[in-house]
Amino acid sequence: MTPANDDRTLLIVGSYTAASNADGEGIGTFWRDGRTGRLTPAGSLELDSPSWLTPHPTLPVLYAANETAEGAITAVAVGEDGTLEALNSLPTGGADPCHLGITPDGRFLVCANYSGGSLAVFALGPDGVPTVRTALVQHEGTGPNTERQEAAHVHMAVVDETGTLVSAVDLGTDEIRSYRLGEEGELIPVSVSALPAGTGPRQLVRRPGTNHAYVVGELAASLVTVREEPPGTFSVENSTPATLEPGGENLPGQLVLHGDRLFLSNRGPETITEFAFDGVLPKAVADHGTGEWPRHFSVVGEHCYVASQSEHVVQAYELATWRLIGSYPIGSPAFVGPWRH
C-alpha cells in the first residue's frame, strides 16, 4: 500500500545497464517525501538500459525505451506499493531508442530511435499494453559534424496536446520533422523545419499558451527559440548559449519548463542553467552546480532531482536555494522523474 504520509509521491529512475556497457540495474522506484525532498527505495526491476520512462496518462503502466542495438520498448505494471512487473516488450524497428511520447487518450505510444534514425508508433490496448507497431518512418540526411551527424539521429518524439501531431527532433539532420498521427496510428508527413547547420537538436519544449517553443542544440551548446506557425512548422527566432558563462566542451541535455523559468542541464560544465523570460526569449540568470554528466533531471514540487550519470548518483536539491539535500547511489542513471505529474 501507499505510505500513509500524503506528502509522499513516487519517483522513477531508469539506468543504463550492462547492455550498454554501463553499471545500472534497470528501473528503480523511490518514495519521495514532499516536505524534505528525501527519497526512500520502494521497488526495482532488472531491464536492459531503460534510458527513458513515460507513464500512461491514466493506467498504472509505465513504458521504457530499451536503448540497445536491437531496440525495444517494454511495458511495466506499477503497483500501489511502488513494485514493478514487466508486461511485454516489442521491437522498435531501429537501434537505440532514447525517447517516448504518448497521446493524451492513451491509444498510441511514439518512439524516437536514435541510432536507427527513425520514428515508430505503437498501438496500446485498453489495458495499456502495446499490441502492434503501426508505423515506422525512416529519416535520411546528414549534418556538418561528421562524427555526430553522419546520418539521421531522432532524439525526441513530441506529441502535442491534441494527440494528433508528432514532431521528431533529428540531431543528425538539424531538422524537426512533423507528422499527423492518423486514426490507425499511421504517420502522415506535415512539414520539415530546418535549424542552423550544426545545431544538433536534442529536445523540443513548447511554452503553453503561446506559439513559441525552445530547442536544445546539443552540438552547438545552444538554446534556440522557435515560432510554431502553423502547427508543426517551426521557424528560428533566436539562439543563445546554453550556459550563463559559455566556454569549453559542453553537451546540453535535458530541458524543463517550470513556471516562468526554463532549466537546462549542461554536461561538461556539470551545471543546470536557469533561464528567465525576456518576453518570449530566454535569458540565462544562473548556473547551478551538479554532479558529473547531468543527463536528465526533473523538478518535482520544491525540489530538483538530477541523474548524474557518470557519478552514479541521483541528487536532490532544494529548488529555491540549490542546496544539496540528498545523494542516492544508483549505477549509471539516465532518467529521473515523477510517476505521476
Side-chain angles (χ1 to χ4, degrees), residues 2-15:
T2 303
N5 183 352
D6 291 337
D7 288 330
R8 286 184 181 267
T9 53
L10 199 64
L11 228 60
I12 50 177
V13 177
S15 297

Side-chain angles (χ1 to χ4, degrees), residues 29-305:
T29 56
F30 297 81
W31 290 114
R32 170 186 175 267
D33 188 303
R35 288 169 294 191
T36 67
R38 300 188 185 281
L39 304 180
T40 304
S44 63
L45 177 68
E46 290 188 7
L47 200 64
D48 286 345
S49 292
S51 66
W52 190 274
L53 304 172
T54 293
H56 189 281
T58 57
L59 299 174
V61 180
L62 178 69
Y63 303 96
N66 302 115
E67 193 174 334
T68 64
E70 295 77 21
I73 56 161
T74 300
V76 177
V78 181
E80 291 186 2
D81 57 357
T83 56
L84 304 170
E85 179 187 359
L87 298 174
N88 78 328
S89 292
L90 291 176
T92 63
D96 297 312
C98 64
H99 184 266
L100 301 171
I102 193 166
T103 56
D105 60 8
R107 291 185 60 210
F108 296 104
L109 184 76
V110 297
C111 174
N113 292 317
Y114 178 78
S115 297
S118 57
L119 179 67
V121 182
F122 298 87
L124 304 177
D127 56 0
V129 175
T131 56
V132 66
R133 191 173 69 224
T134 61
L136 181 65
V137 174
Q138 181 67 49
H139 289 192
E140 302 291 343
T142 60
N145 186 321
T146 55
E147 289 187 4
R148 296 289 308 276
Q149 296 184 306
E150 81 296 346
H153 292 303
V154 182
H155 214 304
M156 192 177 203
V158 187
V159 181
D160 79 339
E161 60 185 8
T162 71
T164 61
L165 183 70
V166 181
S167 296
V169 181
D170 197 318
L171 181 146
T173 65
D174 291 319
E175 294 171 332
I176 302 170
R177 291 180 174 261
S178 294
Y179 303 86
R180 184 166 66 83
L181 184 60
E183 273 298 310
E184 303 302 319
E186 67 272 31
L187 289 170
I188 303 156
V190 170
S191 67
V192 179
S193 303
L195 295 169
T199 296
R202 178 184 176 95
Q203 292 193 350
L204 166 75
V205 173
R206 291 182 171 96
R207 190 178 183 188
T210 76
N211 60 357
H212 283 88
Y214 304 91
V215 179
V216 179
E218 178 177 337
L219 302 185
S222 61
L223 182 59
V224 181
T225 299
V226 294
R227 178 187 292 270
E228 184 180 8
E229 196 173 33
T233 300
F234 301 90
S235 57
V236 175
E237 290 199 344
N238 184 64
S239 181
T240 189
T243 61
L244 180 61
E245 298 182 6
E249 293 290 328
N250 181 21
L251 294 173
Q254 175 73 11
L255 182 64
V256 169
L257 175 64
H258 180 71
D260 62 353
R261 291 288 191 268
L262 278 168
F263 295 89
L264 175 60
S265 68
N266 291 287
R267 297 167 296 171
E270 321 299 28
T271 61
I272 290 178
T273 298
E274 181 177 350
F275 293 83
F277 286 104
D278 182 3
V280 300
L281 301 181
K283 179 181 179 181
V285 294
D287 288 333
H288 303 294
T290 68
E292 296 174 15
W293 216 249
R295 179 180 178 85
H296 187 273
F297 69 95
S298 288
V299 177
V300 187
E302 300 304 315
H303 303 99
C304 182
Y305 298 88

